[in-house]
Amino acid sequence: MENKYFNKITKLLKQVRTKITVTHQLEFKNCFGAVAGYVDGHIFISCGKFGLALKLPSETLDSIFKEKGVKHLKYFPNGHIKKEYAVLPKRMTKNKRQFKELIDKSIKYALLSQ
């Protein structure tokens, strides 16, 4: 799979989780014109026209939705809101410490949502 959304996800993951493919099976699939990332068969990240979204537990969502620029995920303008996801502003993905923490929470939550 070679497209800009796939490239964005893999670039960001390499910056904060360099060995994720050693500890987990990582795969990517097309999803409503976006690219979804799966860890051990469970979706945890999505990237598309909307930006980059992470699947997160409710307590984390409650906290980050208080921050400027964080949005709810909708694959289509008139589509329904994906309640377990937050679209992160670029400043959050550029903050490696914060982004790594969110990726770790997303992976853990995805694996617990079996």
Side-chain angles (χ1 to χ4, degrees):
M1 175 182 304
E2 186 67 30
N3 71 38
K4 64 182 176 180
Y5 303 134
F6 170 78
N7 293 339
K8 182 176 180 178
I9 288 178
T10 55
K11 180 182 176 185
L12 288 169
L13 287 175
K14 285 178 186 176
Q15 291 175 4
V16 296
R17 277 280 147 235
T18 57
K19 298 183 180 184
I20 191 170
T21 57
V22 174
T23 57
H24 299 284
Q25 179 186 356
L26 194 62
E27 61 184 316
F28 301 93
K29 298 178 184 178
N30 290 318
C31 180
F32 304 118
V35 172
Y38 294 77
V39 59
D40 296 340
H42 303 281
I43 189 169
F44 75 104
I45 192 169
S46 186
C47 185
K49 288 182 182 180
F50 50 82
L52 184 92
L54 295 178
K55 182 177 184 179
L56 294 162
S58 60
E59 59 274 3
T60 303
L61 291 171
D62 291 343
S63 173
I64 67 169
F65 275 121
K66 294 175 184 172
E67 295 197 35
K68 184 178 179 180
V70 178
K71 299 177 182 174
H72 291 278
L73 173 60
K74 287 175 31 172
Y75 283 103
F76 305 102
N78 294 326
H80 71 283
I81 292 173
K82 302 291 283 179
K83 295 178 184 173
E84 292 183 299
Y85 293 81
V87 178
L88 307 179
K90 287 184 182 181
R91 68 174 168 73
M92 289 178 83
T93 61
K94 289 183 179 183
N95 179 333
K96 287 185 182 180
R97 182 198 56 78
Q98 182 182 29
F99 187 56
K100 180 182 181 297
E101 183 179 304
L102 290 171
I103 287 289
D104 289 347
K105 286 181 180 184
S106 182
I107 290 169
K108 183 178 179 181
Y109 183 63
L111 293 174
L112 291 175
S113 302
Q114 298 183 28

